[in-house]
Amino acid sequence: MLRPEVLVFMIPIVAIVMGIASSMLKTHYEHKERMGGGGTPENGAHRAELEQMSRIADILDQRVKVLENILDDEIPNWREKS
């Protein structure tokens, strides 16, 4: 067994380490919550940003289709040349 002289030092050390570990764990979960729950965007700011990027992607896709149609009219075999 442990001698009382050793326990006198181990009990405060364990208490300090547990306090530090619990504060680190609390900080970790607060950070994870702020970042959107571990990769799933749940809050409104992330969702709004994703919707805006989706709209921009749709607009760019439409522009590419228009440019491809113009190229198809002007240069019929442009896909084979590139």
Side-chain angles (χ1 to χ4, degrees):
M1 287 308 240
L2 294 174
R3 297 185 311 234
E5 305 87 50
V6 175
L7 286 176
V8 169
F9 292 108
M10 286 192 63
I11 291 172
I13 290 172
V14 168
I16 290 170
V17 168
M18 292 301 290
I20 292 171
S22 66
S23 67
M24 289 176 65
L25 193 62
K26 179 182 174 190
T27 304
H28 167 72
Y29 282 113
E30 286 175 353
H31 176 73
K32 191 174 180 180
E33 185 177 330
R34 266 184 289 152
M35 290 295 119
T40 57
E42 294 296 326
N43 61 5
H46 286 264
R47 188 171 304 279
E49 186 176 1
L50 286 174
E51 288 175 2
Q52 181 183 7
M53 287 190 284
S54 177
R55 284 193 300 269
I56 291 171
D58 290 338
I59 291 170
L60 291 175
D61 187 47
Q62 290 173 356
R63 288 182 180 183
V64 167
K65 287 179 183 176
V66 168
L67 289 173
E68 287 178 345
N69 288 337
I70 292 171
L71 280 172
D72 286 337
D73 292 341
E74 296 291 323
I75 307 168
N77 297 326
W78 68 272
R79 293 177 198 259
E80 297 168 5
K81 292 180 181 178
S82 56

